[in-house]
């Protein structure tokens, strides 16, 4: 598989550090609110990467953190009159609910910053001891001048960065670019004991400490949104590599931005959507399909119109699956050879995904396969052939996290019962009752199709 490495700016063959094993760290959410659709993109992209690598036979360890203490957490907890811990617990729970709806699997480990204060302090201490960090009035700063590679990921020159740097409150810092590893306690803030007095970790240090704890000094892949490249990832590299003298990550992957109706998403522009709100209108897998329909490095434009199109596309997937299941239950003695189509679909899918996780082309291939299958089984077929066609489709859908939960896609029991009642009404030539039931079923969002093999129920 080739991956575009943001560090080198090139597509490179993915060579794992340990044969058969891939370690991935992806920056997770700050849990002070429901996550928004901008956050959802990296969660979906890196979940898909993980699924694909597993499907290709790798053992994958996937770590995604929860930032559960920072300025925003402290501010929102104070506004709501609850503790930072309570706020974090609430939105970690909400994260898992929305993630589940989007078929985002739980990570191998979801470390929380507040549960790794000891690891963080040890790392900061190591940086102080080796001259890469210094204490200033209870704060500890990373000395960016002490790390010659600073700026290498974002391709920025340190002297230029300094010119553009905001004037920091703490003007005693050695260098304007130096960033906080540890922050001294302010009145009323949550704090932990440290060698530098009471305080709390800065944001960047938690990712270095937790990724190294669970995945070792050098990761295979570090992922995150493009907006995290600088300063967050640059700072993660500086802290980690200064502490270990080893490369922090062999591959860096960054996903592109999400625009809303072609405008940048922002709270002030009023075009800020949480996934929780979006899920009131659209099904989770349809949202996921939408996100994966663009290459992860490209910007993606989010609009209701495009999501509605994605809903329709998702129905095409579901209807193909329903159709194959119907054939399995109502087989006909028509020979269908599905193997060539399935093999071709599989090869296309792998080729697209091997090329820097090109989910857009992979999805295009799946829809070609669906079209082909629909044609192959136009007049029905045998159970085994339909089963093989469905299995091939489901394998690919599962890699993209687009496989519906059986319970979700199943036709509800009362719809099936009404369909049976309608059949009974037709049999007794009670056409009015049959039509009434058909209309009622339609009003509930299902469509009946009379076929020579029986009645098919499709979701509209
Ligand atoms: Zn991070």
């Amino acid at each position: 598989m080739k991956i575009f490495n943001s560090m080198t700016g090139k597509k490179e063959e993915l060579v794992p550090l340990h044969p058969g094993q891939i370690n991935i760290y992806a920056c997770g959410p700050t849990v002070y609110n429901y996550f928004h659709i901008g956050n959802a993109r990296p969660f979906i992209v890196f979940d898909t990467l993980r699924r694909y690598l597993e499907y290709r036979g790798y053992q994958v360890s996937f770590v995604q953190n929860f930032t559960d203490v920072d300025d925003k957490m402290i501010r929102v907890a104070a506004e709501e009159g609850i503790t930072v811990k309570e706020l974090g617990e609430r939105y970690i729970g909400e994260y898992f609910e929305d993630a589940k709806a989007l078929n985002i699997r739980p990570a191998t480990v979801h470390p929380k910053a507040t549960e790794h204060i000891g690891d963080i302090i040890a790392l900061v201490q190591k940086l102080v001891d080796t001259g890469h960090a210094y204490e200033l009035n209870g704060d500890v700063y990373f000395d960016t001048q002490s790390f010659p590679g600073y700026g290498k990921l974002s391709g920025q020159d340190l002297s230029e960065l300094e010119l553009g740097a905001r004037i920091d409150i703490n003007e005693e810092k050695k260098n304007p670019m130096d960033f906080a590893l540890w922050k001294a306690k302010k009145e009323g803030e949550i704090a932990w004991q440290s060698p530098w007095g009471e305080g709390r970790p800065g944001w960047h240090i938690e990712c270095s400490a937790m990724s190294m704890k669970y995945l070792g000094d050098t990761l295979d892949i570090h992922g995150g949104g493009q907006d995290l490249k600088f300063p967050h990832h640059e700072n993660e590299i500086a802290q980690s590599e200064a502490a270990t003298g080893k490369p922090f990550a062999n591959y860096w992957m960054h996903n592109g931005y999400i625009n809303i109706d072609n405008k940048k998403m922002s709270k002030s522009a009023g075009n800020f959507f949480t996934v929780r709100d979006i899920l009131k209108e659209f099904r989770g897998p349809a949202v996921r399909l939408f996100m994966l329909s663009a290459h992860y490095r490209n910007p993606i434009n989010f609009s209701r119109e495009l999501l509605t199109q994605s809903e329709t596309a998702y129905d095409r997937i579901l209807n193909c699956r329903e159709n194959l299941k119907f054939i399995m239950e109502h087989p006909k003695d028509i020979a269908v050879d599905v193997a060539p189509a399935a093999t071709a679909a599989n090869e296309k899918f792998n080729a697209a995904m091997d090329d820097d996780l090109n989910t857009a082309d992979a999805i295009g291939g799946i829809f070609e396969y669906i079209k082909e299958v629909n044609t192959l089984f136009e007049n029905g077929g045998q159970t085994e052939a339909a089963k093989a066609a469905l299995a091939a489709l489901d394998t690919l859908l599962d890699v993209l996290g687009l496989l519906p939960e059986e319970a979700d896609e199943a036709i509800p029991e009362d719809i099936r019962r009404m369909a049976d009642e309608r059949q009974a009404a037709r049999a007794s030539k009670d056409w009015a009752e049959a039509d009434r039931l058909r209309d009622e079923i339609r009003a509930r969002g299902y469509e009946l199709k009379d076929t020579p093999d029986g009645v098919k129920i499709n979701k509209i």
Side-chain angles (χ1 to χ4, degrees):
M1 179 182 192
K2 280 201 160 75
I3 279 180
F4 181 88
N5 187 352
S6 312
M7 181 63 90
T8 59
K10 290 192 195 101
K11 274 189 202 172
E12 294 171 5
E13 192 60 40
L14 175 63
V15 182
L17 197 57
H18 309 286
Q21 165 79 35
I22 301 273
N23 291 339
I24 307 175
Y25 184 90
C27 297
T30 304
V31 283
Y32 68 104
N33 198 347
Y34 298 104
F35 65 85
H36 58 74
I37 51 161
N39 300 132
R41 191 174 192 195
F43 302 156
I44 291 171
V45 164
F46 296 111
D47 178 65
T48 304
L49 172 70
R50 173 198 193 184
R51 287 166 179 265
Y52 182 65
L53 291 170
E54 286 179 351
Y55 155 78
R56 294 310 294 259
Y58 288 106
Q59 190 76 32
V60 181
S61 291
F62 182 79
V63 175
Q64 184 182 292
N65 65 308
F66 285 120
T67 298
D68 61 348
V69 58
D70 82 335
D71 293 342
K72 276 180 267 179
M73 293 287 302
I74 291 170
R75 178 175 51 77
V76 174
E79 278 167 14
E80 299 196 10
I82 56 175
T83 64
V84 167
K85 190 175 165 58
E86 284 165 337
L87 181 70
E89 277 168 5
R90 179 194 299 170
Y91 286 110
I92 285 171
E94 305 292 10
Y95 167 86
F96 283 116
E97 192 175 327
D98 290 336
K100 188 169 189 288
L102 295 173
N103 281 346
I104 297 167
R105 286 164 49 195
T108 317
V109 188
H110 278 287
K112 301 179 193 116
T114 58
E115 291 177 1
H116 293 79
I117 300 294
D119 301 293
I120 291 169
I121 289 175
L123 181 56
V124 175
Q125 184 67 63
K126 191 170 180 185
L127 290 169
V128 170
D129 292 345
T130 52
H132 289 291
Y134 56 93
E135 194 241 315
L136 200 60
N137 309 323
D139 294 335
V140 180
Y141 290 95
F142 185 87
D143 183 351
T144 46
Q145 296 283 9
S146 79
F147 183 70
Y150 195 74
K152 65 182 176 179
L153 174 68
S154 46
Q156 306 196 55
D157 188 300
L158 194 55
S159 53
E160 282 172 28
L161 285 175
E162 282 165 28
L163 288 174
R166 286 176 296 143
I167 297 169
D168 203 281
I169 326 151
N170 197 336
E171 287 171 5
E172 293 170 65
K173 284 197 303 187
K174 286 191 192 170
N175 187 294
M177 292 314 298
D178 294 354
F179 55 90
L181 301 171
W182 187 262
K183 295 179 171 182
K185 181 184 173 170
K186 292 194 196 97
E187 191 53 39
E189 280 186 0
I190 182 172
W192 290 264
Q193 274 302 338
S194 83
W196 318 284
E198 277 190 296
R200 63 184 164 97
W203 170 36
H204 315 296
I205 194 73
E206 70 177 83
C207 287
S208 290
M210 298 192 288
S211 69
M212 291 198 283
K213 172 167 181 165
Y214 292 101
L215 300 171
D217 291 347
T218 302
L219 297 161
D220 289 297
I221 302 170
H222 194 307
Q226 196 179 305
D227 51 324
L228 296 184
K229 230 184 202 178
F230 185 84
H232 183 55
H233 290 162
E234 203 69 73
N235 292 353
E236 283 187 32
I237 291 170
Q239 298 157 164
S240 309
E241 297 191 356
T244 66
K246 296 178 202 159
F248 179 44
N250 286 337
Y251 304 87
W252 285 85
M253 291 175 77
H254 291 97
N255 63 273
Y257 291 108
I258 285 204
N259 293 320
I260 313 282
D261 292 324
N262 294 311
K263 288 187 206 90
K264 198 168 179 273
M265 180 170 75
S266 75
K267 269 189 176 155
S268 53
N271 60 357
F272 184 90
F273 295 108
T274 64
V275 166
R276 184 61 57 94
D277 282 337
I278 295 297
L279 288 173
K280 286 176 191 155
E281 287 176 64
F282 302 97
R283 288 170 291 175
V287 177
R288 184 169 176 128
L289 178 62
F290 161 78
M291 292 279 191
L292 294 177
S293 64
H295 190 282
Y296 76 89
R297 282 193 288 125
N298 291 341
I300 191 168
N301 189 43
F302 180 95
S303 69
R304 285 204 153 66
E305 196 187 334
L306 290 171
L307 266 187
T308 305
Q309 283 173 21
S310 189
E311 284 274 336
T312 310
Y314 187 58
D315 277 335
R316 271 166 62 204
I317 295 176
L318 295 187
N319 286 338
C320 178
R321 295 184 76 249
E322 275 301 317
N323 193 30
L324 290 170
K325 285 182 179 175
F326 180 85
I327 292 166
M328 283 158 64
E329 285 163 22
H330 305 83
K332 273 190 185 173
D333 200 13
I334 299 172
V336 175
D337 183 9
V338 79
T343 306
N346 209 285
E347 282 170 3
K348 247 185 201 170
F349 181 86
N350 291 352
M353 296 292 274
D354 275 346
D355 182 14
D356 192 27
L357 203 74
N358 192 337
T359 53
D361 282 2
I363 288 169
I366 288 179
F367 280 107
E368 275 172 39
Y369 175 68
I370 286 176
K371 205 172 154 193
E372 225 170 317
V373 164
N374 287 344
T375 309
L376 283 170
F377 289 93
E378 212 167 18
N379 301 312
Q382 290 151 327
T383 299
E384 280 310 308
K387 206 171 169 183
L390 181 63
L393 175 61
D394 280 359
T395 301
L396 306 185
L397 291 175
D398 193 26
V399 175
L400 297 180
L402 295 174
L403 200 57
E405 272 188 45
E406 287 301 322
D408 286 350
E409 54 141 6
I411 307 294
E413 207 34 61
D414 52 340
I415 300 287
R416 284 193 190 280
R417 202 188 54 239
M418 283 195 280
D420 289 344
E421 283 169 16
R422 175 174 163 274
Q423 279 307 92
R426 279 162 60 95
S428 58
K429 299 203 175 0
D430 185 353
W431 306 117
E433 176 64 2
D435 286 351
R436 190 194 66 77
L437 283 161
R438 171 184 220 132
D439 291 346
E440 197 179 328
I441 289 167
R442 174 168 265 283
R444 295 275 306 272
Y446 294 88
E447 189 176 50
L448 300 182
K449 243 191 199 152
D450 296 307
T451 78
D453 311 308
V455 179
K456 271 191 206 175
I457 311 173
N458 283 335
K459 204 166 187 306
I460 299 168

